[in-house]
């Protein structure tokens, strides 16, 4: 089985090294021509320019392993044997843990204050929100989780945080020095920003269409950063190991 991998970000560089060390017949995609001889392609979706150029060269029925930030189009699933790492619940959990740790690193890097004792908001309570809440509580931050669902609010409370409805968020936002947005739905827009302290630090961990209007925040003089795809930037080696374990699990314990 011959595989090709595109170095879309540092995770894929480390994954290539792991696969080489474990005996896989794998090559880096540089021009797109490498896809012609491959039976397996490991790519990031949406595709980078090299993957976009090479995917048409991949034989129908070939294995297509995707680290996808968006749902995989049905046309790809029909043409190839698609394996989405995001369909592996164990991988998604591990990826969320890396993201949460990276988010805390970003906050410590930019904010001039300790997290311990600070009022911190987590907006959204999916996998990343849960992991982030657990870490922040362990650091002795005073954490409030804003969630649409009562089940999310109750789960946050069970983890030592305060649970609050997103419908009641605006009057409370001025209390927080640090706000993490984990939901891709636009949760922090102009109205919410008007309620946020100018001394607050905002971090958007979500993907497109993004939960925080970073540009609007900056115009209002509020510190805001978009920190999407943190595993590939914060801990690419660990992220690559998680990807490798997911591939092996999906293949029933076998390497490529």
């Amino acid at each position: 089985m011959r595989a090709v991998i595109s170095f879309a970000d540092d995770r894929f560089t480390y994954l290539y090294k792991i696969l080489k060390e474990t005996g896989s017949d794998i090559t880096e995609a540089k021009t797109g021509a490498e896809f012609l001889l491959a039976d397996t392609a490991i790519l990031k979706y949406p595709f980078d320019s090299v993957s976009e150029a090479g995917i048409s060269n991949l034989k129908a029925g070939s294995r297509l392993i995707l680290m996808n930030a968006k749902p995989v189009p049905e046309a790809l699933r029909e043409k190839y044997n698609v394996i989405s790492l995001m369909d592996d619940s164990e991988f998604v959990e591990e990826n969320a843990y890396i993201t949460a740790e990276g988010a805390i690193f970003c906050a410590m890097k930019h904010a001039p204050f300790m997290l311990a004792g600070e009022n911190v908001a987590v907006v959204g309570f999916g996998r990343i929100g849960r992991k982030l809440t657990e870490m922040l509580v362990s650091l002795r931050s005073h954490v409030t989780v804003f969630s649409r669902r009562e089940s999310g609010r109750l789960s946050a409370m069970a983890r030592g945080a305060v649970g609050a409805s997103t419908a009641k968020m605006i009057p409370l936002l001025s209390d927080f020095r640090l706000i993490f947005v984990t939901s891709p739905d636009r949760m922090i827009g102009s109205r919410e920003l008007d309620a946020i302290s100018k001394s607050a630090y905002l971090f958007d961990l979500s993907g497109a269409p993004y939960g925080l209007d970073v540009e609007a925040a900056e115009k209002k003089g509020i510190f805001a950063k978009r920190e999407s795809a943190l595993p590939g930037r914060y801990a690419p080696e660990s992220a690559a190991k998680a990807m490798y374990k997911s591939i092996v699990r999906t293949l029933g314990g076998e390497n490529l």
Side-chain angles (χ1 to χ4, degrees):
M1 187 73 70
R2 178 172 292 182
V4 62
I5 185 171
S6 176
F7 288 2
D9 60 43
D10 288 344
R11 287 174 294 185
F12 291 81
T13 306
Y14 280 103
L15 180 59
Y16 170 81
K17 293 177 182 177
I18 294 170
L19 289 167
K20 271 288 191 184
E21 290 169 358
T22 53
S24 295
D25 181 5
I26 189 166
T27 187
E28 177 191 355
K30 296 179 179 179
T31 65
E34 294 83 3
F35 288 73
L36 288 167
L37 300 176
D39 303 298
T40 298
I42 304 173
L43 310 174
K44 185 178 182 180
Y45 183 82
F47 296 136
D48 60 7
S49 57
V50 173
S51 301
E52 196 70 61
I55 190 67
S56 60
N57 294 331
L58 188 66
K59 297 185 293 291
S62 296
R63 184 187 290 153
L64 182 58
I65 300 174
L66 297 178
M67 176 67 246
N68 54 300
K70 293 183 176 181
V72 180
E74 198 58 37
L76 285 178
R77 292 189 181 275
E78 290 174 357
K79 186 173 182 180
Y80 303 109
N81 176 18
V82 173
I83 295 172
S84 167
L85 299 186
M86 299 307 290
D87 290 340
D88 177 4
S89 59
E90 288 187 50
F91 170 76
V92 172
E93 287 290 327
E94 192 165 357
N95 204 54
Y97 193 98
I98 298 171
T99 300
E101 187 174 300
I104 288 175
F105 169 79
C106 292
M108 289 178 168
K109 178 180 177 182
H110 292 287
F113 48 80
M114 293 174 57
L115 273 63
E118 282 293 342
N119 291 330
V120 180
V122 175
V123 182
F125 203 62
R127 286 185 174 89
I128 293 172
R130 289 195 294 274
K131 297 296 183 187
L132 183 56
T133 297
E134 291 166 2
M135 289 185 186
L136 289 166
V137 168
S138 73
L139 290 170
R140 295 188 293 114
S141 298
H142 303 308
V143 184
T144 296
V145 171
F146 291 101
S147 175
R148 288 194 181 99
R149 299 180 179 179
E150 183 180 8
S151 59
R153 299 191 289 272
L154 292 173
S155 182
M157 292 167 65
R159 288 168 166 80
V162 174
S165 171
T166 53
K168 300 178 180 179
M169 183 164 60
I170 290 178
L172 302 176
L173 286 173
S174 61
D175 293 340
F176 302 105
R177 293 289 309 281
L178 191 60
I179 299 173
F180 294 99
V181 182
T182 68
S183 169
D185 299 329
R186 181 52 59 89
M187 306 295 285
I188 304 292
S190 182
R191 289 178 61 241
E192 289 78 14
L193 289 168
D194 285 339
I196 291 172
S197 168
K198 294 292 192 296
S199 66
Y201 287 74
L202 279 59
F203 296 92
D204 185 5
L205 312 182
S206 66
Y210 306 113
L212 166 66
D213 190 336
V214 170
E215 293 75 18
E218 291 173 344
K219 288 179 181 177
K220 292 177 184 290
I222 301 171
F223 179 95
K225 281 187 69 66
R226 180 153 291 137
E227 295 288 2
S228 303
L230 272 172
R233 296 186 292 111
Y234 165 70
E237 181 180 338
S238 298
K241 289 178 180 177
M243 292 168 72
Y244 174 72
K245 289 188 290 185
S246 178
I247 291 169
V248 171
R249 273 195 304 272
T250 303
L251 298 180
E254 298 179 4
N255 202 346
L256 290 180

